[in-house]
């Protein structure tokens, strides 16, 4: 027997003893192919040899051959030990379910975060909103300081525009707040540190108060 064949026999025997459950030659080939690089012919040959030597057991069901570890090498397990194992299996299953649920929740949160704006996109949008708000304030101040006569119709139009701008200001400020909240959920530092790091200036920094509509 070549060294390669001997290695295959040893690997398969160790695998069957470790798993201690029935396998077909196809099962063993599938499970060990990537791990050990064994070919199917080598697996079949090795398992037949192990069965002939009595190191593993073989059962034939029609055209199907099933192989499993020789049970005589294992210690007998008492009913009390079996019950303990059943209890432990139940505990492990509960832990698995809890961890799986946690993983699903984290996966959902990750997908939500991946669908949010990046920090660079957030900075660009905040700067754009600040520029728009600055333009709106400047335009409003110009309208307020105008000395020429304004008709009631023109005044009503200005008031409506002001109302529209303030609503948009409030809407966009809330949008920015929501987006920053989403980022800060995964940001390791404080909100103040994030604003400083991103170079973001708020209305409060400039002592700007949103007017009532």
């Amino acid at each position: 027997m070549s060294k390669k064949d001997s290695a295959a026999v040893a690997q398969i025997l160790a695998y069957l003893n470790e798993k201690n459950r029935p396998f077909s030659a196809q099962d063993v080939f599938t499970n060990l192919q990537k791990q050990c690089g064994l070919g199917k012919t080598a697996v079949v040959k090795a398992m037949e040899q192990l069965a002939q030597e009595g190191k593993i057991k073989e059962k034939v069901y029609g055209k199907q051959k099933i192989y499993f570890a020789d049970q005589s090498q294992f210690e007998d397990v008492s009913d009390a030990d079996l019950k303990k194992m059943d209890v432990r299996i139940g505990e492990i299953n509960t832990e698995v379910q809890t961890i799986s649920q946690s993983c699903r929740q984290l996966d959902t949160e990750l997908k939500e975060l991946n669908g949010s704006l990046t920090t660079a996109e957030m900075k660009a949008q905040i700067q754009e909103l600040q520029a728009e708000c600055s333009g709106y304030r400047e335009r409003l101040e110009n309208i307020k300081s105008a000395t020429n006569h304004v008709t009631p119709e023109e005044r009503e139009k200005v008031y409506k525009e002001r109302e529209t701008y303030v609503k948009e200001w409030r809407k966009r400020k809330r949008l920015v707040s929501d987006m920053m909240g989403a980022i800060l959920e995964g940001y390791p530092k404080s909100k103040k540190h994030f604003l400083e790091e991103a170079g973001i200036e708020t209305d409060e920094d400039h002592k700007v108060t949103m007017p009532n509509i």
Side-chain angles (χ1 to χ4, degrees):
M1 183 185 299
S2 67
K3 290 184 178 181
K4 185 176 181 180
D5 291 338
S6 298
V9 170
Q11 288 169 340
I12 291 172
L13 178 59
Y15 179 76
L16 291 176
N17 286 336
E18 177 190 355
K19 299 303 181 182
N20 193 21
R21 50 160 292 187
F23 289 102
S24 67
Q26 179 63 42
D27 293 333
V28 175
F29 165 68
T30 301
N31 296 340
L32 295 182
Q33 183 181 21
K34 291 183 179 180
Q35 178 182 346
C36 304
L38 301 177
K40 186 173 182 180
T41 301
V43 171
V44 173
K45 182 179 178 182
M47 296 183 74
E48 289 178 347
Q49 178 183 332
L50 287 168
Q52 290 173 2
E53 294 174 353
K55 295 181 179 179
I56 63 174
K57 298 299 181 181
E58 176 187 274
K59 291 289 184 181
V60 180
Y61 299 93
K63 296 182 179 181
Q64 179 83 358
K65 289 184 179 181
I66 299 297
Y67 301 90
F68 52 91
D70 182 6
Q71 299 300 300
S72 64
Q73 65 182 308
F74 302 115
E75 296 181 1
D76 292 335
V77 181
S78 65
D79 290 341
D81 289 336
L82 287 174
K83 289 181 180 179
K84 289 180 181 179
M85 291 180 185
D86 288 338
V87 171
R88 182 53 184 157
I89 290 172
E91 293 173 348
I92 292 174
N93 286 336
T94 300
E95 292 177 6
V96 169
Q97 291 177 358
T98 301
I99 294 173
S100 296
Q101 183 177 357
S102 178
C103 287
R104 287 193 296 270
Q105 183 177 352
L106 291 174
D107 184 60
T108 300
E109 293 177 1
L110 178 60
K111 289 179 180 178
E112 291 177 353
L113 290 175
N114 287 336
S116 302
L117 295 175
T118 64
T119 302
E121 291 171 339
M122 176 72 72
K123 290 179 180 178
Q125 188 159 359
I126 290 174
Q127 291 176 353
E128 180 183 346
L129 292 174
Q130 287 177 333
E132 288 185 15
C133 289
S134 177
Y136 294 152
R137 286 195 295 268
E138 182 179 355
R139 184 178 177 185
L140 183 60
E141 289 301 321
N142 290 337
I143 293 173
K144 286 182 176 179
S145 62
T147 57
N148 58 320
H149 179 72
V150 178
T151 65
E153 292 77 11
E154 291 174 333
R155 184 171 58 251
E156 181 65 20
K157 180 181 178 182
V158 169
Y159 286 154
K160 286 184 177 180
E161 286 182 349
R162 176 182 181 276
E163 180 178 352
T164 299
Y165 295 151
V166 172
K167 286 182 178 179
E168 188 66 20
W169 183 0
R170 182 175 289 109
K171 175 183 175 182
R172 296 194 178 199
K173 185 172 183 178
R174 184 170 59 251
L175 176 62
V176 171
S177 177
D178 291 343
M179 289 189 292
M180 280 202 301
I183 290 177
L184 290 173
E185 287 181 0
Y187 190 73
K189 300 180 181 179
S190 66
K191 177 180 178 181
K192 180 180 179 181
H193 189 278
F194 169 76
L195 292 174
E196 291 175 352
E197 184 178 10
I200 299 172
E201 298 179 352
T202 65
D203 292 341
E204 290 74 16
D205 292 336
H206 294 278
K207 296 181 174 56
V208 175
T209 304
M210 185 180 299
N212 295 324
I213 298 177

